[in-house]
Amino acid sequence: MVGHYYPSSLEETLIELKKNRYQIIAGGTDVLVQYRSWSETVPKVKYPLMFIHHLSELKFMTENVDYIEIGACVTYKDLLSSPLIPKVLKDTIIEIASPGIRHTATLGGNIANASPAADAVCTLIALDAMVVIKSIDSIRTEKIEDFITGVKKTSLKPDEIIYSVKIPNVMSDYACFYKVGGRQADAISKVSLAAVMNATDGRITKWRMAFGAVGPKVMTSLSIDGMMIGKTIEEIKITIPAILEQYSPLINPIDDQRSTAKYRKLVAMNLIQKFIDAIS
Amino acid sequence: MIIKFTLNHQAVTIDTDPSRRLLDVLRVDFNLVGVKEGCGEGECGACSVLINHQVVNSCLVPVGNVHNKDVLTIEGYKLTPKYKIIETAFVDAGAVQCGFCTPGMVMATESLLYQNPHPSDLEIKIALSGNLCRCTGYNMIIEAVKLAVERGEGLW
Ligand SMILES: Cc1cc2nc3c(=O)[nH]c(=O)nc-3n(C[C@H](O)[C@H](O)[C@H](O)COP(=O)(O)OP(=O)(O)OC[C@H]3O[C@@H](n4cnc5c(N)ncnc54)[C@H](O)[C@@H]3O)c2cc1C
Ligand code: FES
Ligand code: FES
């Protein structure tokens, strides 16, 4: 077996990924838990590790009129201290894990890990963000909700890497992230909701919702969201039961060690209502 | 892999498997046993150390990631005047009982005060939110940090 690899550039990484199969490791806060073994032994990884956390090419944050672009290896800590990052994404990040993890964990890791409870993923989907994916001979862009295909599954091929995340550079009238967990810090979401709304003259022009931990991946539906567009905020507020009914098929949680399906469904519905109560 | 980093103010070079946990390297290779293993999965903070002056959970850091970085453990921090302030504040506030969480609490406190010398109560709680203590009940620890802020005025 080839050994772990510590590349000195992105190009070298991509060339090597083309030649051999690796497990990418960024901050390692998911990888080291997932492949954890006994104390004082190395993690039991299936493939040798490709270290990317130090690559400066993956640590940029830029803004143009269309997008805010964030390199895959930017840490939560750096996102929290950047003026470019939308408030709702910062509100989300401050609810992720604890300072020690936020100092090393990356946005790219949260997306590639494809947990149905991934908090940043919820908010990025509600913001219509996209991932930029590179291999040595290709570059492609995909919406995050399409990139993530199931529990811990993505469309990433073995020779590819997440290069960056692009968030449309538009203002939101309302953008909220609600998370329900067992403890305030270090708690994986039992249920979460990221919601974004814009309105002109009281009429909805944009409506996006993404739910965490209620299905095999972060759940979202452009067609259900689309039904809200063109309604007035008043109409939304007086038809809450109908709206909950419309979202209901999207929310199919399971029982697990963190919570029950019944509780999760009820809370998800309450979070939709909470958002509707908040808008005006 | 050859890994070079600064450990407790000294340049060190090791040749080891980069997938090993920083926690194990510190305890086994360098005998820095002030770094504790509690949960081994990022939830208790007993293994907290500083990398480039930011607190991290060393049980979740592959040692490859500290190449060219600066690592500080409680053993290195102990030699500084700031540590003395925190130590006496913890003792005076009754913030230490069994002491298992204490090195981690102290490192998280240094990470906070380095970034923010005058934290609010909420900021202290957030800064220590990744560190569990089974003995004291947290209020004394928060008091200890406040005491250190007061006594260390100008140091951070
Ligand atoms: C105690 C604890 C609490 C946590 N709390 C939360 C929480 O509240 N909310 C939450 O959402 N998450 C939480 N997490 C999960 C984790 O911290 C995040 O998902 C984090 O963002 C992962 O980033 P990382 O850089 O550490 O990823 P890594 O562990 O390095 O990688 C994770 C996965 O992504 C892949 N990967 C990483 N970067 C790339 C890339 N650029 N291209 C392709 N693949 C890549 C890796 O191969 C791996 O499969 C928690 C974890 C712990 C241990
Ligand atoms: S041992 Fe690292 S956080 Fe518990
Ligand atoms: S003093 Fe015992 S765990 Fe904190």
Side-chain angles (χ1 to χ4, degrees):
Chain A
M1 186 167 107
V2 290
H4 303 306
Y5 203 95
Y6 191 92
S8 56
S9 69
L10 178 61
E11 193 187 2
E12 188 187 334
T13 310
L14 297 176
I15 291 172
E16 191 56 34
L17 286 176
K18 193 90 188 172
K19 288 196 245 163
N20 293 301
R21 183 89 192 244
Y22 290 94
Q23 164 86 47
I24 291 172
I25 188 164
T29 63
D30 278 315
V31 170
L32 290 194
V33 173
Q34 190 177 345
Y35 298 103
R36 185 180 175 201
S37 181
W38 299 103
S39 276
E40 299 181 19
T41 63
V42 293
K44 284 195 180 134
V45 284
K46 271 199 235 132
Y47 302 102
L49 297 176
M50 174 61 79
F51 287 84
I52 62 165
H53 201 244
H54 59 287
L55 295 176
S56 56
E57 295 108 308
L58 300 177
K59 285 188 180 293
F60 64 93
M61 284 181 267
T62 57
E63 178 185 35
N64 65 26
V65 285
D66 298 322
Y67 294 103
I68 296 158
E69 188 170 5
I70 304 165
C73 283
V74 174
T75 63
Y76 291 133
K77 152 81 182 160
D78 290 338
L79 292 168
L80 284 175
S81 35
S82 164
L84 295 184
I85 302 307
K87 179 170 180 300
V88 65
L89 186 54
K90 290 188 180 176
D91 292 346
T92 307
I93 291 168
I94 198 74
E95 299 232 23
I96 294 180
S98 57
I101 289 171
R102 294 197 288 269
H103 286 152
T104 58
T106 64
L107 201 56
N110 199 242
I111 299 168
N113 193 53
S115 157
D119 291 322
V121 170
C122 280
T123 299
L124 290 171
I125 289 177
L127 292 172
D128 292 317
M130 310 202 281
V131 267
V132 180
I133 300 145
K134 282 192 177 181
S135 78
I136 191 64
D137 45 26
S138 71
I139 173 164
R140 61 190 179 94
T141 303
E142 203 170 8
K143 285 162 93 178
I144 296 185
E145 64 251 49
D146 300 331
F147 172 74
I148 298 174
T149 54
V151 184
K152 300 253 163 196
K153 288 203 185 77
T154 68
S155 73
L156 200 75
K157 299 188 198 77
D159 64 340
E160 287 180 328
I161 190 169
I162 297 181
Y163 172 71
S164 69
V165 180
K166 277 183 168 177
I167 306 173
N169 200 355
V170 290
M171 292 293 284
S172 312
D173 294 337
Y174 284 89
C176 299
F177 176 74
Y178 306 125
K179 166 171 175 170
V180 177
R183 165 182 165 199
Q184 226 165 48
D186 276 338
I188 306 295
S189 292
K190 292 179 179 181
V191 187
S192 59
L193 167 64
V196 172
M197 183 211 78
N198 279 1
T200 309
D201 300 329
R203 213 167 266 285
I204 312 275
T205 54
K206 178 175 175 182
W207 183 277
R208 290 289 280 130
M209 289 196 151
F211 299 86
V214 299
K217 58 180 198 166
V218 171
M219 299 303 285
T220 193
S221 164
L222 277 174
S223 60
I224 302 174
D225 290 347
M227 293 187 226
M228 311 301 144
I229 293 174
K231 292 188 183 180
T232 63
I233 293 175
E234 275 318 300
E235 280 166 344
I236 297 271
K237 285 187 184 274
I238 58 175
T239 55
I240 290 177
I243 292 170
L244 298 184
E245 200 59 40
Q246 283 168 320
Y247 276 100
S248 179
L250 198 61
I251 321 279
N252 295 301
I254 52 163
D255 289 331
D256 68 9
Q257 79 276 16
R258 271 189 284 281
S259 188
T260 64
K262 194 173 160 209
Y263 174 84
R264 286 185 156 122
K265 178 106 187 184
L266 181 68
V267 173
M269 293 293 152
N270 289 348
L271 293 181
I272 300 176
Q273 175 142 12
K274 183 171 176 181
F275 181 67
I276 295 174
D277 289 345
I279 61 178
S280 60
Chain B
M1 173 181 162
I2 306 281
I3 300 165
K4 294 184 186 195
F5 59 107
T6 307
L7 177 57
N8 294 336
H9 317 295
Q10 283 189 343
V12 297
T13 303
I14 54 173
D15 187 358
T16 193
D17 182 330
S19 75
R20 289 175 67 204
R21 306 181 304 172
L22 177 61
L23 170 71
D24 293 327
V25 172
L26 294 173
R27 289 182 59 91
V28 178
D29 302 16
F30 292 98
N31 198 28
L32 296 169
V33 292
V35 189
K36 306 293 181 200
E37 175 160 16
C39 65
E41 48 188 45
E43 290 185 4
C44 75
C47 65
S48 298
V49 303
L50 304 190
I51 297 183
N52 291 0
H53 242 107
Q54 299 183 354
V55 71
V56 302
N57 302 95
S58 65
C59 67
L60 294 186
V61 175
V63 69
N65 276 3
V66 306
H67 187 54
N68 294 330
K69 299 270 174 71
D70 186 68
V71 179
L72 187 69
T73 73
I74 191 78
E75 288 86 351
Y77 186 49
K78 246 185 109 159
L79 312 171
T80 66
K82 290 177 185 171
Y83 169 83
K84 265 287 161 224
I85 303 267
I86 296 181
E87 182 192 67
T88 43
F90 268 63
V91 171
D92 293 349
V96 182
Q97 285 185 30
C98 79
F100 192 81
C101 70
T102 311
M105 291 285 179
V106 171
M107 298 318 277
T109 302
E110 166 59 25
S111 179
L112 166 69
L113 298 184
Y114 184 78
Q115 292 171 46
N116 178 3
H118 297 103
S120 65
D121 284 15
L122 179 66
E123 286 166 334
I124 296 173
K125 284 186 186 168
I126 293 174
L128 300 181
S129 62
N131 296 73
L132 299 183
C133 174
R134 298 283 73 192
C135 306
T136 67
Y138 303 106
N139 285 339
M140 287 96 127
I141 298 177
I142 292 162
E143 281 312 311
V145 176
K146 286 160 75 171
L147 206 55
V149 167
E150 222 178 273
R151 293 178 181 169
E153 184 59 52
L155 256 187
W156 275 280

